């Protein structure tokens, strides 16, 4: 049986001497700007990353899927009448998978990761999420820590009216220990239930206090159709209020992780 060893380390540009590394020195001026902005703000907005043709193919495929599954969609609408988010729809709608191999996506993943990549899962939104500001890491754990990115694709304009993204630029650098906090409420990790909304909210509230103390604030991030936003796993993000509940705001988020190095072999 082959198993992967626990990897150690950080993303290559998070080391203090990263500017002296050959990897950074060999980048173009534009690539260096992307790395610097991502390192500082925790996100990078790439304009016109996907073509209308790709978007049309995804939209048509999603429309067909909705027709086949309309009863389930209607039955699971939220209390305010908006549609739920769709987890892992790329497995049923192959057109979505084209986003993973998109030219811009490939370049950004190679630039920021520099390792093998894997599509872990996806979320497709038919409307804005209206999620409260949060950090994913308590429920999205990988090894080594923080070796994954979220890549958000706007299939149509994301505006204040239809509920756009929100985020805290620089918030990924604010510390909030996901390991120590549970000990305030549980004596052993084994006692923690699979879902604990109270602990989740306390973690997010503690994070909010810290970035506000650092002078950082939540802001709305408008995107145009075809734009891509890639962000650090510790980047606090959410969704603004939908002003028009009948409006759509189609988008897809990919969770991209590192492919583990199978360098150890254990005989069973």
């Amino acid at each position: 049986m082959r198993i992967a060893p626990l990897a150690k380390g950080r993303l290559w540009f998070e080391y203090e001497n990263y500017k002296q590394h050959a990897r950074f020195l060999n980048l173009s001026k534009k690539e260096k700007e992307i790395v610097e902005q991502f390192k500082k703000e925790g996100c990078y907005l790439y304009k016109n990353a996907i073509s209308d043709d790709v978007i049309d193919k995804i939209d048509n495929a999603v429309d067909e899927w909705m027709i086949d599954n309309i009863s389930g969609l209607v039955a699971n609408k939220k209390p305010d009448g908006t549609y739920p988010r769709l987890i892992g729809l790329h497995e049923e709608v192959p057109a979505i998978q084209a986003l993973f191999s998109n030219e811009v996506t490939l370049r950004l993943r190679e630039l920021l990761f520099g390792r093998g990549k894997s599509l872990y899962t996806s979320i497709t939104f038919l409307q804005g999420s209206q999620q409260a500001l949060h950090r994913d890491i308590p429920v999205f754990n990988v090894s080594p820590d923080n070796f994954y990115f979220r890549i958000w694709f706007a299939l149509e304009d994301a505006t204040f009216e239809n509920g756009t993204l929100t985020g805290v630029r620089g918030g990924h650098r604010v510390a909030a220990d996901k390991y120590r906090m549970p000990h305030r409420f549980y004596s052993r990790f084994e006692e923690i239930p699979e879902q604990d909304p109270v602990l989740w909210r306390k973690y997010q509230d503690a994070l909010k206090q810290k970035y506000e103390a650092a002078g950082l604030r939540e802001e709305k991030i408008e995107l145009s159709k075809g734009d891509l936003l890639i962000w650090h796993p510790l980047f606090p993000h959410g969704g603004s209020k939908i002003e028009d509940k009948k409006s759509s705001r189609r988008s897809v988020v990919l969770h991209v992780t590192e492919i583990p190095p199978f360098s150890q072999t254990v005989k069973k």
Side-chain angles (χ1 to χ4, degrees):
M1 179 178 67
R2 295 191 308 170
I3 62 171
L6 290 177
K8 296 181 180 179
R10 293 170 284 178
L11 294 168
W12 70 272
F13 54 84
E14 293 183 328
Y15 288 90
E16 292 184 6
N17 63 345
Y18 75 100
K19 286 188 177 181
Q20 301 169 18
H21 196 282
R23 180 173 179 80
F24 183 81
L25 295 174
N26 290 329
L27 297 179
S28 68
K29 180 180 178 182
K30 180 61 177 179
E31 289 172 331
K32 289 179 179 178
E33 290 174 354
I34 292 175
V35 171
E36 292 290 86
Q37 182 177 332
F38 191 88
K39 179 178 175 65
K40 178 182 178 182
E41 299 185 359
C43 64
Y44 183 80
L45 174 60
Y46 197 109
K47 303 295 292 184
N48 302 313
I50 49 176
S51 66
D52 288 345
D53 181 57
V54 170
I55 294 174
D56 289 343
K57 289 179 180 179
I58 295 174
D59 278 337
N60 291 336
V62 170
D63 286 341
E64 293 179 5
W65 184 89
M66 289 180 65
I67 292 173
D68 293 338
N69 296 273
I70 191 63
S71 58
L73 281 172
V74 172
N76 287 281
K77 275 191 172 183
K78 300 177 185 178
D80 65 357
T82 59
Y83 283 113
R85 57 185 183 172
L86 307 174
I87 309 296
L89 191 62
H90 68 281
E91 296 180 357
E92 297 188 36
V93 181
I96 294 175
Q97 297 175 20
L99 298 175
F100 180 72
S101 56
N102 170 268
E103 181 181 355
V104 173
T105 309
L106 289 171
R107 289 207 307 266
L108 288 174
R109 287 183 352 229
E110 176 61 27
L111 175 64
L112 298 172
F113 251 140
R115 305 187 181 205
K117 303 88 182 167
S118 171
L119 173 56
Y120 180 73
T121 187
S122 70
I123 305 176
T124 300
F125 296 91
L126 303 176
Q127 294 180 279
S129 69
Q130 301 186 104
Q131 286 181 290
L133 196 72
H134 63 282
R135 181 182 278 178
D136 291 330
I137 204 67
V139 294
F140 199 103
N141 192 51
V142 296
S143 177
D145 283 348
N146 308 331
F147 269 71
Y148 80 91
F149 295 126
R150 296 193 87 182
I151 308 177
W152 197 96
F153 300 86
L155 302 184
E156 60 183 309
D157 293 347
T159 67
F160 297 162
E161 183 178 57
N162 65 4
T164 191
L165 288 172
T166 67
V168 180
R169 297 183 189 274
H172 65 299
R173 291 181 277 110
V174 174
D177 197 321
K178 67 175 180 179
Y179 297 110
R180 291 185 179 182
M181 186 169 290
H183 285 298
R184 301 180 189 176
F185 309 97
Y186 300 95
S187 58
R188 297 173 59 86
F189 275 109
E190 291 81 356
E191 298 174 359
I192 303 176
E194 291 186 5
Q195 297 289 332
D196 189 338
V198 175
L199 187 56
W200 165 265
R201 194 65 260 160
K202 287 184 178 297
Y203 173 84
Q204 306 301 344
D205 289 345
L207 172 64
K208 182 178 179 180
Q209 292 176 5
K210 289 193 173 186
Y211 70 67
E212 287 184 346
L216 305 175
R217 295 289 182 269
E218 179 181 10
E219 63 179 272
K220 294 180 180 179
I221 305 173
E222 288 191 288
L223 294 94
S224 300
K225 178 181 177 180
D227 289 351
L228 171 162
L229 185 73
I230 183 170
W231 69 79
H232 192 283
L234 298 182
F235 180 68
H237 60 279
S240 67
K241 180 182 178 182
I242 301 174
E243 299 297 337
D244 180 5
K245 293 295 191 297
K246 295 182 179 180
S247 65
S248 65
R249 192 220 66 185
R250 288 192 176 185
S251 58
V252 173
V253 178
L254 301 182
H255 296 91
V256 179
T257 65
E258 179 190 21
I259 297 175
F262 290 99
S263 59
Q264 286 189 350
T265 301
V266 177
K267 295 181 179 181
K268 184 177 181 181

